[in-house]
Amino acid sequence: MLFERIGMIDENFGYRSDMYVGTVGDKIIYISSEAPSEQEAPLYGDKYDGKGKVLLPGFVNAHGHSPMSLMRGYGENLPLDRWLNELIFPFEDKLYKKAVYWGTLLTMAESIRYGIVSTSDMYYFIDDMLRAITTSGSKVNISRSVVCPVGKPEDCIGFKEMQDTIIMYHGFDEGRVLVDASIHAEYTNNDDAVAAIIAETKKHDIRMHVHVSETASEVEGCKERHNGMTPVEYFDSMGMFDQPTLAAHCVWLTENDMDILAAKNVHVASNPISNLKLTSGICNVPELYKRGINVALGTDSSTSNNSLDFFEEMKAFALLGKIKSGDPAAMKPEQVLYSATRAGALAQGREDCGIIKVGCKADLIVVDTEVPNMQPVHNMINNLVYSACGKDVVLTMCDGRVLYKDGEYLTIDVEKTYAEVEIARKKILSQL
């Protein structure tokens, strides 16, 4: 496809107007302020008129639980521990394969509608999740989250399924599927399980995805269990950070925790709206930025967030960073946009994604600026972070394939998806 006369977020996360961007196959191969020659033009196939529009790298949702769309609006007005134990865990206990497939597909539809092309996903029923994700054409770093508080890991079904997932699916669907290992959290696994899961990351040379320091009570409980160590200190002592790690939440970090994360090049997935809704707290992103830590952006599930609108997430992320630091100059819009795109791709180990650059993957979204909330334009990047909304996305492309355009889903039957999700919802509720 050849995007013509379109605004663009360049590789330095600046804004350039009236650009030409050409994709062939799954790559970006042409970027210029000049149109390609008449001889070259047919190479790109379809032309896209970019008047009044901006081309962005596709968003990367750095922390999600896609099947939990089935529980959107179900668990409200409770703190995390009660929310999980009284509502979410009983509902999840009734999940079944078909429900997970349709719940995941609903999340993929919402994701591509809002410009998310890749998700770091942590859950179970992996086979059914991947059927939905690959159907949608999206990318995923998927992990079978392990919960093993007692006993030996080899006797834990989650650990066995994690091992199988790594062997079966890492690199699947032409590399759109990558598999991470996943310790659900410190408080849900014993030392033997933590050690065994870390050993799997080293054996297969893969990445780790883990919940870290989401609540104050989690940190205090860890200190009681592990001789005064915080979750970050504990995981570091176990050797987790020897492999690339994506640590979700990181709300309650000490100075030493942040020093460890910086020294070990740990990626952080901040989930601002979910953390607000569950009153978990506010991640100190400005301080993480100062230490050179790669901070990506996540939604968490649509149960604890309710929406996967990444523009909404970016705005909350920016505003909360300002509040946390007490500095209105903190959280520059360029930094925020980087966290929503390139930082997430790097956290997934996808070096050629999350940036508009020749030779990189054609993971692109188009945002309409000829809408009231995007006018006038004093500074386009300011508008994208503070004024845009998910419904301004008019095209989503992943690996050069258009997944959504002008209200039409090209890979997902959304009406059937809505109907099947409703059937699953009623069936599960009838068993509670």
Side-chain angles (χ1 to χ4, degrees), residues 169-292:
Y169 291 120
H170 191 54
F172 185 66
D173 196 27
E174 299 181 340
R176 281 182 286 275
V177 174
L178 298 178
V179 178
D180 299 339
S182 178
I183 296 167
H184 173 266
E186 173 275 327
Y187 60 90
T188 52
N189 286 277
N190 62 31
D191 290 351
D192 289 343
V194 169
I197 299 165
I198 292 170
E200 290 295 308
T201 68
K202 296 176 180 178
K203 175 182 176 181
H204 297 284
D205 193 21
I206 59 173
R207 310 177 83 82
M208 174 70 74
H209 187 181
V210 57
H211 294 106
V212 175
S213 300
E214 183 175 0
T215 65
S217 61
E218 171 192 338
V219 175
E220 291 308 309
C222 182
K223 289 179 178 179
E224 292 175 6
R225 287 184 290 272
H226 299 292
N227 300 315
M229 287 191 287
T230 66
V232 170
E233 291 167 339
Y234 168 69
F235 285 137
D236 186 43
S237 74
M238 296 293 284
M240 176 189 288
F241 303 142
D242 295 342
Q243 288 294 114
T245 298
L246 176 58
H249 300 296
C250 293
V251 174
W252 295 90
L253 299 177
T254 66
E255 291 287 326
N256 189 52
D257 289 342
M258 289 187 276
D259 289 341
I260 291 170
L261 297 179
K264 294 298 180 73
N265 296 313
V266 175
H267 306 273
V268 169
S270 179
N271 303 269
I273 293 177
S274 175
N275 292 155
L276 283 179
K277 187 182 178 192
L278 296 172
T279 64
S280 299
I282 302 172
C283 179
N284 194 347
V285 174
E287 193 60 39
L288 298 179
Y289 279 159
K290 286 179 186 177
R291 283 170 159 80

Side-chain angles (χ1 to χ4, degrees), residues 84-160:
L84 287 171
N85 290 297
E86 295 177 18
L87 290 172
I88 301 307
F89 289 159
F91 192 105
E92 288 180 323
D93 189 53
K94 303 300 181 183
L95 286 175
Y96 56 98
K97 292 168 68 65
K98 190 175 180 180
V100 166
Y101 171 81
W102 290 110
T104 302
L105 200 61
L106 177 63
T107 292
M108 291 302 103
E110 185 179 3
S111 294
I112 63 178
R113 174 65 183 90
Y114 292 146
I116 297 168
V117 298
S118 188
T119 301
S120 286
D121 222 323
M122 177 197 291
Y123 213 63
Y124 54 116
F125 288 94
I126 299 298
D127 293 350
D128 307 286
M129 290 180 65
L130 285 179
R131 282 196 302 119
I133 294 165
T134 55
T135 293
S136 77
S138 300
K139 293 177 179 173
V140 68
N141 276 45
I142 201 158
S143 56
R144 201 307 182 185
S145 184
V146 180
V147 173
C148 183
V150 295
K152 298 179 180 178
E154 55 267 30
D155 297 328
C156 171
I157 185 64
F159 181 75
K160 294 175 183 176

